[in-house]
Amino acid sequence: MGKGGMSHGETKDGEEENMAAWLLGVNTLKIQPFKLPCLGPHDVRVRMKAVGICGSDVHYLKTMKCAHFVVKEPMVIGHECAGIIEEVGSEIKSLEPGDRVALEPGISCWRCNLCKEGRYNLCPDMKFFATPPVHGSLANQVVHPADLCFKLPDNVSLEEGAMCEPLSVGVHACRRANIGPETNVLVMGAGPIGLVTLLAARAFGAPRIVIVDVDDYRLSVAKDLGADEIVKVSTNLQDVDQEVVLIHQAMGTGVDVTFDCAGFNKTMSTALSATRPGGKVCLVGMGHNEMTVPLTPAAAREVDVIGVFRYKNTWPLCIEFLSSGKIDVKPLITHRFGFSQKEVEEAFETSASGSTAIKVMFNL
């Protein structure tokens, strides 16, 4: 288990009992006591103030699994978070109580070859908030390593701090695909990750961005966030060729990089077909575990396929983008809830329903 903590512990007389949202079974969340571990010399104790709901949280709630991660015992949910430092370990000089911080949720081992190479997001021993069996951060307080807590400037809110986590996925994807002022970008999917990838690509200098989705409302949000063109598509695989023509018309020039932020047969087939010869397709979404896609024609056009898993070293840049105004994530936060049993259940129902919900945020 990571820093998170344990369930049902005794509390000292007069000490506030730490409560958290526990995933107990399919569609079963309950606020219960959550005992924190002792504070290590390099740790901080953080009072959570803003926690967002991610698609993976909803997957765990609905199915008790996400990709190959399976929930086998009760687990505290949540990993997109920011809060206020309550206590610091004996060796901590960079942070102090009262500091507002955004938390990077993954604790890597720093000993394996991948960590030593700087690709710590691929660490096989990663302990990541709310990835079983590690507990998450939808709680009154958590204990976390200080070097994964990033101080927020005065002009960046705690909600924006929590949004650094999904934004980091877009930033890491843009780094992996080398997005710059000469890169015309296609984004497949206008869900939360597609939208932050749009924002990140623009901040990285992409001159033209087209976004594709099946949903009119999400496309209208993408347009409001600065997409140059939007293209509505179907879920029918037979429509790919026709839709690629529409995408090319919308782009008006070659598609240099496509980000597939959905990860389905249809979206990946479209991405591979729409991207110009010598371009790149970056697979960000993980909708299907296995796909049947036209890989050989894409390979014959030397289209590179790039994988993306979470992020690394992104929080400082995300905070800079938010502080400077290059990225505004506030319009993505569509719904807000408090931290009661009723509100936790309503918040997850709202997030799972899709409809007009993009990012659902808890204010603790």
Side-chain angles (χ1 to χ4, degrees), residues 225-263:
L225 289 172
D228 294 293
E229 294 289 344
I230 53 176
V231 178
K232 187 177 182 183
V233 294
S234 74
T235 56
N236 190 341
L237 199 58
Q238 273 65 52
D239 294 338
V240 167
D241 290 346
Q242 174 186 339
E243 288 167 358
V244 166
V245 172
L246 295 177
I247 289 166
H248 286 164
Q249 288 172 349
M251 184 65 78
T253 184
V255 175
D256 299 305
V257 173
T258 301
F259 293 105
D260 183 355
C261 297

Side-chain angles (χ1 to χ4, degrees), residues 99-233:
D99 283 347
R100 300 156 60 256
V101 292
L103 283 67
E104 181 173 349
I107 307 169
S108 56
C109 77
W110 292 116
R111 291 184 298 274
C112 69
N113 286 338
L114 287 162
C115 282
K116 289 177 180 178
E117 290 169 7
R119 303 188 74 175
Y120 68 84
N121 56 312
L122 304 178
C123 175
D125 294 321
M126 176 71 79
K127 293 176 173 60
F128 194 95
F129 278 155
T131 297
V134 182
H135 290 307
S137 59
L138 184 48
N140 297 132
Q141 300 183 49
V142 300
V143 169
H144 205 53
D147 63 352
L148 294 173
C149 297
F150 297 85
K151 192 171 177 179
L152 296 172
D154 291 341
N155 69 337
V156 176
S157 71
L158 286 157
E159 285 191 339
E160 291 172 286
M163 289 295 292
C164 284
E165 198 280 340
L167 180 58
S168 284
V169 176
V171 166
H172 181 58
C174 286
R175 283 176 172 169
R176 288 276 288 150
N178 292 319
I179 300 302
E182 297 180 311
T183 323
N184 293 306
V185 169
L186 171 65
V187 179
M188 306 296 302
I193 294 301
L195 295 174
V196 293
T197 302
L198 158 69
L199 294 173
R202 186 67 85 203
F204 272 74
R208 189 158 181 82
I209 304 172
V210 173
I211 194 161
V212 169
D213 201 276
V214 298
D215 185 85
D216 284 317
Y217 172 72
R218 297 206 165 192
L219 286 171
S220 71
V221 173
K223 189 71 173 166
D224 290 343
L225 289 172
D228 294 293
E229 294 289 344
I230 53 176
V231 178
K232 187 177 182 183
V233 294

Side-chain angles (χ1 to χ4, degrees), residues 17-33:
E17 188 167 36
N18 189 46
M19 305 298 284
W22 288 79
L23 176 59
L24 303 179
V26 172
N27 290 327
T28 307
L29 282 168
K30 191 171 181 185
I31 295 181
Q32 295 183 161

Side-chain angles (χ1 to χ4, degrees), residues 16-17 22 65 76 90 94 146 161 169 236 299 346 354 363:
E16 174 196 352
E17 188 167 36
W22 288 79
K65 63 184 180 182
V76 176
S90 58
S94 58
V169 176
N236 190 341
E346 287 178 356
N363 294 131

